[in-house]
Amino acid sequence: MNSKALYKLTYGLHLVGSFKGDKINAQIANTVIQITSEPATVAVSINKKNLTHEYIQASGVFSASILTNEAPLGFIGQFGFKSGRDSDKFAGVKYKKGATGAPVVLENCNAYLEAKVLQAIDAGTHTIFIGQLVEAEVLNETSSMTYEYYQQVKRGTTPKSAPSYQEAKAAAAPPSAPKYKCQVCGYIYDPMVGDPDSGIKPGTPFEALPSDWVCPVCGADKSQFTKV
């Protein structure tokens, strides 16, 4: 069985948020889907270990801010590879509390949805929350980021807590331009691609990266990379 076939499903990439008391949190999720149109309902699958899961259970609501193709890897990594238990994910991020009280991210997103949970379905390691829309708004007409675009163009990786996680594998690299893999999140630096979001031009070998360069996904420094 070729599990890469799952990559061809038309997933989007979203920031799913909720709250508990006066605390808010959000995470990257690629499993937000519309269920029905009348009434409008959506569903999202969230890992039970994640803080967002705890907050959705506590508040009974969730938001989904839809990421655009222009969203930089560092922004995605801030919400996808860090825990709200250890850091403030919203530091420096433009957002608002929506009609439900859940956080709605306003930058690097083109629209948002807010929903009230109607049903929670146990899916083993995850819970599928089905919610009825109570608010929705378009922020701009920028293209939405798909999971395939994130993987192939942005060259992003997937946290182990995600439903779609698979062990990252490096493509074959020419001897003259070896690739390097982040041992923290699995991101692979390809010299032929560079890191445009960080101002690193294509053709820049790993050895020539600035000493203060960090993984664009999780923020790990160069010492956390190994040749592949």
Side-chain angles (χ1 to χ4, degrees):
M1 183 177 69
N2 187 352
S3 58
K4 288 185 178 179
L6 292 170
Y7 289 162
K8 299 302 180 182
L9 290 175
T10 54
Y11 296 104
L13 212 61
H14 317 88
L15 283 170
V16 175
S18 193
F19 72 95
K20 182 178 181 181
D22 60 352
K23 297 180 180 180
I24 59 173
N25 195 62
Q27 66 167 75
I28 296 293
N30 68 335
T31 50
V32 178
I33 59 172
Q34 182 177 352
I35 302 298
T36 61
S37 58
E38 192 59 45
T41 59
V42 294
V44 62
S45 178
I46 301 292
N47 191 294
K48 293 177 180 178
K49 295 180 180 179
N50 291 0
L51 187 62
T52 302
H53 183 281
E54 176 185 330
Y55 283 15
I56 294 176
Q57 282 190 318
S59 66
V61 300
F62 63 87
S63 63
S65 302
I66 303 170
L67 288 166
T68 68
N69 285 339
E70 285 70 29
L73 280 178
F75 182 83
I76 297 171
Q78 182 170 340
F79 286 93
F81 286 89
K82 294 182 179 180
S83 171
R85 296 184 178 92
D86 305 320
S87 62
D88 178 8
K89 293 185 178 184
F90 290 90
V93 175
K94 185 179 180 181
Y95 75 96
K96 70 174 184 178
K97 288 188 177 181
T100 61
V104 171
V105 179
L106 301 175
E107 60 180 288
N108 298 315
C109 296
N110 60 18
Y112 67 85
L113 314 170
E114 293 185 73
K116 181 178 181 180
V117 176
L118 298 176
Q119 186 178 3
I121 301 172
D122 191 326
T125 57
H126 291 63
T127 297
I128 301 171
F129 295 102
I130 299 176
Q132 182 171 336
L133 286 190
V134 298
E135 183 61 273
E137 189 59 67
V138 174
L139 300 173
N140 57 67
E141 297 301 328
T142 309
S143 298
S144 300
M145 184 183 293
T146 65
Y147 187 58
E148 185 174 37
Y149 184 92
Y150 171 68
Q151 289 283 343
Q152 295 186 359
V153 180
K154 304 295 282 188
R155 302 183 65 81
T157 57
T158 305
K160 292 184 178 181
S161 62
S164 55
Y165 172 78
Q166 295 185 37
E167 184 69 27
K169 295 182 179 179
S176 60
K179 296 179 174 69
Y180 283 76
K181 180 178 180 180
C182 176
Q183 297 305 302
V184 177
C185 71
Y187 168 81
I188 295 174
Y189 176 77
D190 184 349
M192 303 306 293
V193 176
D195 179 11
D197 288 341
S198 301
I200 305 300
K201 297 180 179 180
T204 304
F206 183 82
E207 294 79 6
L209 293 174
S211 59
D212 60 352
W213 180 85
V214 297
C215 175
V217 175
C218 70
D221 62 34
K222 290 179 66 177
S223 68
Q224 298 296 313
F225 281 74
T226 57
K227 186 186 295 186
V228 295

